[in-house]
Amino acid sequence: MNMWYTEKHSENVGITMRVSETLFSGKSEFQQLDIVNTLEYGKMMLLDGLVMVTERDEFVYHDMLVHPALFTHPSPRQVLVIGGGDGGSIREIVRHPEVELATLCEIDGLVVDKSVELLPSMASAIDGQHPKVKLHIADGLAYIREHQNAFDVILVDSTDPIGPAVGLFEKDFYRLVHGALKADGIMVAQSESPFYHAEIQKNMYRNLRAVFPLVAMYQAFIPTYPSGLWSFAFASKRYHPLRDFQRDRAARRNFHTKYYNEDLHSGAFMLPTFAKENIAE
Ligand code: SAM
């Protein structure tokens, strides 16, 4: 089989992977969804032609979106994920015994359905059976407008700022998230690549700082995302990701994490100079 899938990261650079078969290809009212089998990264989900998750490297993204916030907040009982229809973030959240309810608000039901059917290693906790998981198929913007002062942690696991996700990178959205969080809440959002998306990051972190008292970027290595250098925005109403990090609780956790650990938690917030300078106030 000599079929290759290429995602362009700029006009002249991209990633290309050999594909053995297409498992699903279809269009929802929001986007084109493809799930293919690759020879080296396992099954891969694409939305509008962009890599969302692969079986081989999704552990990096889902570990790092979820665990820094849940090991910084002293009692993360109510956790909301906006987007995240592949289920990987919810899978990591419900591993924390402190979590009472993990709510998923995903705008596209087709993503959830096909993830449950074809990506069970990620979607195991969103198949409708997990007692601690509540699933809403809705626009995250509308959902948090109706759920103010409700969550300890909100994780924005969205697509890039295009299509239905464009509003999830703007100041009004961050104000709504701030209101949906309790007085000591924490928000984390995937914040693109310092290498390819400097302008998006500059605006995103300026918007976050206009709303949250405490904002920090942290990094992770995700080979199938543009340049591999990826980032997350930690925005907090009270707790600092390093000073208030619950290191002992993280070190004593009763579950294995393939990427995250209590040393990496702190190390991830140390940034390359160019990335730090780009978002400096
Ligand atoms: N890890 C991936 C990344 O970093 O690009 C994200 C994966 S997850 C599949 C992204 C999800 O965000 C998609 O399923 C998409 O439908 C969802 N999404 C986009 N805009 C949304 C919105 N306004 N409300 C809720 N979900 C949204």
Side-chain angles (χ1 to χ4, degrees):
M1 169 65 72
N2 203 21
M3 190 164 78
W4 292 76
Y5 168 76
T6 298
E7 174 190 335
K8 287 178 70 175
H9 294 161
S10 70
E11 262 320 291
N12 312 299
V13 175
I15 184 172
T16 192
M17 279 190 253
R18 178 172 278 166
V19 172
S20 59
E21 66 177 310
T22 296
L23 301 171
F24 175 78
S25 183
K27 206 167 175 53
S28 72
E29 65 176 294
F30 300 100
Q31 52 214 338
Q32 171 69 27
L33 168 62
D34 297 285
I35 298 179
V36 298
N37 229 343
T38 71
L39 272 72
E40 289 199 21
Y41 275 79
K43 293 178 190 170
M44 173 166 72
M45 179 198 291
L46 308 159
L47 287 177
D48 287 340
L50 298 177
V51 175
M52 291 292 118
V53 288
T54 77
E55 285 180 321
R56 182 173 175 190
D57 72 352
E58 59 89 3
F59 70 95
V60 182
Y61 177 89
H62 293 121
D63 268 18
M64 293 306 280
L65 182 75
V66 172
H67 300 309
L70 269 64
F71 281 123
T72 298
H73 195 290
S75 55
R77 297 191 178 88
Q78 298 288 335
V79 183
L80 170 66
V81 174
I82 294 175
D86 54 73
S89 299
I90 292 287
R91 177 196 66 203
E92 291 307 309
I93 291 165
V94 296
R95 302 174 80 186
H96 288 254
E98 299 80 8
V99 171
E100 292 167 2
L101 184 65
T103 302
L104 180 72
C105 180
E106 161 60 58
I107 200 167
D108 192 341
L110 183 65
V111 174
V112 173
D113 295 345
K114 290 301 167 188
S115 297
V116 169
E117 179 191 339
L118 297 169
L119 301 171
S121 65
M122 288 175 233
S124 53
I126 62 168
D127 61 1
Q129 312 301 321
H130 198 290
K132 283 190 176 181
V133 175
K134 198 163 68 172
L135 179 59
H136 292 276
I137 303 301
D139 183 341
L141 267 162
Y143 184 82
I144 55 173
R145 212 172 265 125
E146 294 138 30
H147 295 81
Q148 293 290 288
N149 191 32
F151 300 101
D152 299 304
V153 175
I154 295 178
L155 304 175
V156 184
D157 183 5
S158 72
T159 34
D160 302 325
I162 46 178
V166 69
L168 305 184
F169 289 75
E170 290 169 1
K171 203 182 297 181
D172 289 350
F173 170 68
Y174 297 137
R175 284 204 183 93
L176 281 170
V177 170
H178 188 279
L181 286 168
K182 295 177 188 168
D184 62 349
I186 296 172
M187 180 206 90
V188 171
Q190 72 92 353
S191 61
E192 307 288 319
S193 167
F195 210 76
Y196 273 104
H197 307 122
E199 272 319 296
I200 291 175
Q201 292 196 321
K202 202 187 288 286
N203 294 326
M204 181 177 181
Y205 281 79
R206 185 184 310 118
N207 290 341
L208 282 167
R209 288 196 180 101
V211 176
F212 286 88
L214 211 164
V215 176
M217 179 191 280
Y218 61 99
Q219 61 172 312
F221 167 65
I222 305 179
T224 54
Y225 283 5
S227 81
L229 176 62
W230 209 249
S231 74
F232 299 87
F234 186 103
S236 178
K237 295 172 90 165
R238 180 178 305 169
Y239 305 116
H240 187 281
L242 300 179
R243 286 197 303 272
D244 299 308
F245 172 35
Q246 311 244 307
R247 185 187 167 90
D248 290 347
R249 183 158 62 90
R252 284 198 318 273
R253 67 190 181 284
N254 63 354
F255 53 89
H256 178 256
T257 42
K258 204 170 156 189
Y259 191 87
Y260 177 87
N261 61 60
E262 59 276 17
D263 297 322
L264 185 82
H265 175 110
S266 303
F269 285 87
M270 306 303 138
L271 298 176
T273 305
F274 79 95
K276 204 159 48 167
E277 287 175 342
N278 180 53
I279 60 168
E281 295 196 63

